[in-house]
Amino acid sequence: MSDGSDPKKRKRIALIVVSSFVLVVIGAAATIGVYTTSDSRASKASEKTSEISASIKAIEGICQPTDYKEACVRSLKEAGANTTDPKELIKASFKAAMNHIAEAVKKSTVLKELEKAPRAQQALKNCKELMEYAIDDLERSFDELGKLEYSKLDDALADLKVWLSAAVTYQETCLDGFQNTTGNAGHKMREILKSSTQLTSNILAMVDEISLALAKMNLPNFKRKLLSDGNNVIGHGDDFSIWPPMLLGKRKLLSKRVADLKPNLVVAKDGSGRFRTINEALKHIPLKSNKTFVLYIKAGVYKEQVVFDKKMTNLMVVGDGPTKTRISFDKNYVDGTTTFRTATVSVFGDHFTARDIGFENTAGAIKHQAVALMVQSDMSIFHNCHMDGHQDTLYVHTKRQFYRDCTITGTIDFVFGDAAAVFQNCKMLVRKPLDNQQCIVTAQGRKERRQASALILQNCAIAAHSSYTPFKGQIRSYLGRPWKVYSRTIIMESYIDDIIQPEGWLPWLGDFGLNTCFYTEYKNRGPGASTTRRVKWKGIKTITPQHATDFTAGRFMKGDRWIRTAGVPYVPGMMNA
């Protein structure tokens, strides 16, 4: 999506913006503006005009790397951003985007009152909630921008990119809800969201440009090396003295056997706990907590739809094993529920951890989209869990997610979404679909090329479920297909069984996304791992060992900051080097 501008000029503008931004962040006495040299020579009589001219040039400079420059410049001028300070201009961009989304929320409410079709009504209801999530993530990104410290710039910019990527995805998910609906509500909603999606994309571009330029400048405390040897599993012999007590507490909890845990709440179907259902227990979980709260769910099948609210932060849910403690429900698309609402379990609160639990949607292949688990919790961890379903089993919606030693079963797009999700030592088992269907393991949903998201399968196994095995030669199965235009999936150091077709990857519709996706296979093994006959799309990439390392958990989502403290097995780098 090049704008055809001079690369040298673009780089020069970016460096000016970055230099100014860094000086602002570290508390410099004076802020460097863009093209201010000529303004300093202006006469006093035209000082006001010169200030306006400098501000316009600053706006044009900071909007230069964005994909929607006209919307960027217009929004900043309308906001009255009469400044040459890049940081203030970015903050003004945040405010403009939030105002546009808030306006979209109001319009969607009016549209819902006029809309009669049930599916469209449900989609509009989802839109309101999703746009509120987008505003939340823009607000916390805005707050983070105001607190930036030079010593933590690398981590802070990584956080900003993740949260801004999520804000982009929420707006896209809103529009996805109108597929197969009658009437023109979907078209109207797309028009309503046009400005806000462009402005959110522009902010992501600004932050990404700063991050890239800082990396090129080789500044101290930026683009640090991995903290650990990539070939060693974290968890034995580490120096824990540098970790905060809260994180050490979580580590101690997760490393304990269930019998040794002292949970805050116990749910048991047999009456041996405080509650018999999970939903009863939810009313007693503290909100916005900075301390780990442990919910222990004893063995049993809990037939209920569960939502762990976004205010339920630092929650740890522990079961008796993924085949013993199971949460099961059957909401599905065919019976009238949008995909976003079909999940048996939905997780919204940040720093969520689950261990030894099964999540299941029993609707079956005949009911099409039916999610077992949906996650948009940032820095969430799932260890030794099962996610069982058919179509759309695991919805890794947004933000950073880590899966270790998990088993996911399904048929079509059964690992999908737009999170930065890393799977280590997991099993992806393909089930038997309907007679007229073929199976696809992944469908990654990156809409913007700068979004910090990907599906990464490392040292996993892609193989047949017992229901599929008798039909091995009759059903065609693929590694993935491009759900959105910049879909990104990396499969490395994994075992691929012969159920995967030699072509490997499947188109979504015609040539959509085939040139812009990023699909790669690196050092895989097994009878289905040969890339000789893979499709020859422009989006199929061959990567170097150094590039492969960029997609490891330690680098791609800075896992040493949060995974290594959790007490689960974790490898920050390559596993089979």
Side-chain angles (χ1 to χ4, degrees):
M1 297 176 68
S2 173
D3 58 7
S5 60
D6 183 356
K8 291 183 179 180
K9 181 180 179 182
R10 183 172 179 273
K11 182 178 180 182
R12 181 165 59 88
I13 292 171
L15 288 174
I16 292 171
V17 172
V18 169
S19 300
S20 304
F21 186 85
V22 172
L23 287 173
V24 170
V25 168
I26 63 176
T31 302
I32 298 177
V34 181
Y35 299 119
T36 54
T37 304
S38 60
D39 296 330
S40 65
R41 298 171 183 166
S43 64
K44 291 182 180 180
S46 61
E47 186 174 332
K48 187 66 177 177
T49 303
S50 297
E51 286 178 5
I52 294 172
S53 176
S55 176
I56 291 173
K57 288 177 180 177
I59 288 171
E60 291 172 348
I62 205 162
C63 289
Q64 183 64 23
T66 67
D67 291 336
Y68 305 101
K69 295 177 185 60
E70 185 179 337
C72 179
V73 172
R74 183 176 64 250
S75 67
L76 290 175
K77 287 181 178 178
E78 288 175 353
N82 188 20
T83 177
T84 59
D85 183 338
K87 188 177 180 183
E88 292 304 315
L89 289 173
I90 294 175
K91 288 168 73 174
S93 298
F94 271 98
K95 290 179 180 177
M98 286 187 280
N99 288 339
H100 276 269
I101 297 175
E103 187 62 29
V105 171
K106 293 178 183 177
K107 290 180 179 178
S108 71
T109 303
V110 173
L111 194 57
K112 184 173 180 291
E113 292 174 356
L114 300 174
E115 182 58 54
K116 303 299 181 185
R119 281 197 187 275
Q121 278 232 340
Q122 191 177 152
L124 287 164
K125 180 181 178 182
N126 293 346
C127 280
K128 183 176 183 297
E129 181 178 329
L130 287 158
M131 285 185 284
E132 287 169 354
Y133 293 142
I135 291 172
D136 285 347
D137 280 332
L138 284 168
E139 283 180 341
R140 75 166 166 177
S141 299
F142 179 83
D143 291 342
E144 182 74 11
L145 188 70
K147 298 183 295 185
L148 281 180
E149 299 175 22
Y150 175 67
S151 62
K152 299 178 181 178
L153 196 55
D154 189 11
D155 291 342
L157 288 173
D159 289 342
L160 286 173
K161 285 193 283 185
V162 167
W163 301 336
L164 289 169
S165 296
V168 170
T169 301
Y170 296 139
Q171 294 173 76
E172 183 69 6
T173 303
C174 158
L175 298 176
D176 286 341
F178 293 97
Q179 291 179 0
N180 302 320
T181 59
T182 58
N184 61 353
H187 174 75
K188 288 181 179 178
M189 200 66 228
R190 188 171 294 277
E191 286 298 311
I192 289 170
L193 281 176
K194 183 178 179 180
S195 293
S196 63
T197 54
Q198 290 182 353
L199 294 179
T200 308
S201 170
N202 287 344
I203 301 169
L204 178 59
M206 293 174 193
V207 172
D208 188 60
E209 192 76 11
I210 291 166
S211 184
L212 288 172
L214 284 170
K216 290 177 183 177
M217 292 166 73
N218 294 316
L219 296 171
N221 300 315
F222 201 82
K223 204 174 183 181
R224 296 185 304 274
K225 294 181 179 180
L226 287 174
L227 298 177
S228 314
D229 180 355
N231 295 319
N232 294 329
V233 175
I234 299 300
H236 303 283
D238 291 306
D239 178 9
F240 301 142
S241 61
I242 62 172
W243 295 355
M246 180 182 73
L247 295 179
L248 278 173
K250 175 179 272 193
R251 179 181 180 82
K252 290 175 182 177
L253 285 170
L254 259 181
S255 61
K256 283 185 176 183
R257 298 178 305 160
V258 172
D260 298 326
L261 277 174
K262 294 181 179 178
N264 300 95
L265 285 178
V266 178
V267 177
K269 288 186 71 69
D270 61 9
S272 60
R274 183 176 172 186
F275 305 103
R276 289 180 180 270
T277 70
I278 300 167
N279 278 299
E280 284 181 295
L282 295 188
K283 302 169 187 175
H284 301 270
I285 293 174
L287 305 181
K288 297 184 178 180
S289 174
N290 290 321
K291 183 179 179 181
T292 302
F293 186 91
V294 181
L295 174 65
Y296 172 35
I297 306 173
K298 287 190 174 184
V301 178
Y302 297 82
K303 294 184 178 181
E304 46 186 316
Q305 193 171 28
V306 179
V307 176
F308 293 107
D309 186 83
K310 66 181 178 180
K311 294 180 182 178
M312 295 179 185
T313 53
N314 289 293
L315 177 62
M316 181 184 295
V317 181
V318 180
D320 281 326
T323 61
K324 294 179 180 179
T325 299
R326 295 185 66 79
I327 309 173
S328 179
F329 214 65
D330 61 356
K331 282 271 187 174
N332 62 84
Y333 181 82
V334 170
D335 288 344
T337 303
T338 57
T339 304
F340 181 69
R341 297 287 184 188
T342 63
T344 296
V345 174
S346 300
V347 181
F348 297 96
D350 291 346
H351 305 288
F352 178 92
T353 305
R355 191 187 87 183
D356 303 326
I357 293 182
F359 306 92
E360 181 179 37
N361 193 309
T362 59
I366 195 70
K367 296 295 186 177
H368 298 286
Q369 295 95 328
V371 177
L373 174 66
M374 182 182 75
V375 184
Q376 64 183 54
S377 162
D378 197 18
M379 299 187 183
S380 53
I381 297 172
F382 295 82
H383 180 221
N384 191 36
C385 292
H386 285 191
M387 300 84 178
D388 296 311
H390 285 82
Q391 185 171 344
D392 291 1
T393 303
L394 175 59
Y395 193 176
V396 290
H397 194 202
T398 56
K399 302 175 187 168
R400 289 162 284 198
Q401 306 175 22
F402 180 70
Y403 296 81
R404 175 76 189 208
D405 304 324
C406 293
T407 299
I408 305 104
T409 68
T411 55
I412 299 171
D413 307 333
F414 65 92
V415 180
F416 78 110
D418 193 29
V422 174
F423 298 81
Q424 281 188 358
N425 284 28
C426 292
K427 295 177 183 177
M428 282 70 179
L429 303 182
V430 182
R431 302 179 76 165
K432 181 185 179 298
L434 298 178
D435 290 342
N436 62 342
Q437 292 179 330
Q438 50 198 353
C439 294
I440 306 101
V441 179
T442 67
Q444 206 279 334
R446 193 169 64 139
K447 181 199 172 190
E448 298 275 348
R449 59 193 168 96
R450 298 181 180 89
Q451 282 183 282
S453 57
L455 293 177
I456 300 169
L457 280 59
Q458 184 183 20
N459 202 41
C460 293
I462 298 172
H465 183 268
S466 58
S467 66
Y468 185 103
T469 303
F471 304 93
K472 255 189 174 185
Q474 303 171 33
I475 303 169
R476 298 170 68 88
S477 295
Y478 300 87
L479 296 173
R481 57 177 178 166
W483 180 26
K484 301 295 180 180
V485 66
Y486 290 101
S487 178
R488 181 163 61 174
T489 300
I490 297 90
I491 301 174
M492 59 186 183
E493 302 184 300
S494 294
Y495 175 86
I496 302 176
D497 203 357
D498 60 2
I499 62 170
I500 298 300
Q501 295 297 305
E503 308 95 284
W505 307 88
L506 185 71
W508 184 271
L509 182 65
D511 61 358
F512 173 79
L514 304 190
N515 293 330
T516 48
C517 67
F518 185 103
Y519 287 163
T520 190
E521 301 170 60
Y522 179 79
K523 284 194 173 181
N524 295 312
R525 59 194 183 276
S530 173
T531 58
T532 304
R533 295 170 57 190
R534 292 294 194 249
V535 291
K536 306 300 181 184
W537 309 338
K538 187 177 179 181
I540 302 295
K541 307 297 184 182
T542 300
I543 59 174
T544 64
Q546 292 76 17
H547 197 179
T549 302
D550 290 337
F551 293 112
T552 57
R555 289 202 176 170
F556 186 72
M557 54 186 183
K558 296 185 176 292
D560 285 351
R561 285 175 59 197
W562 55 284
I563 305 171
R564 77 190 300 259
T565 60
V568 299
Y570 158 60
V571 178
M574 302 306 293
M575 299 182 74
N576 300 314

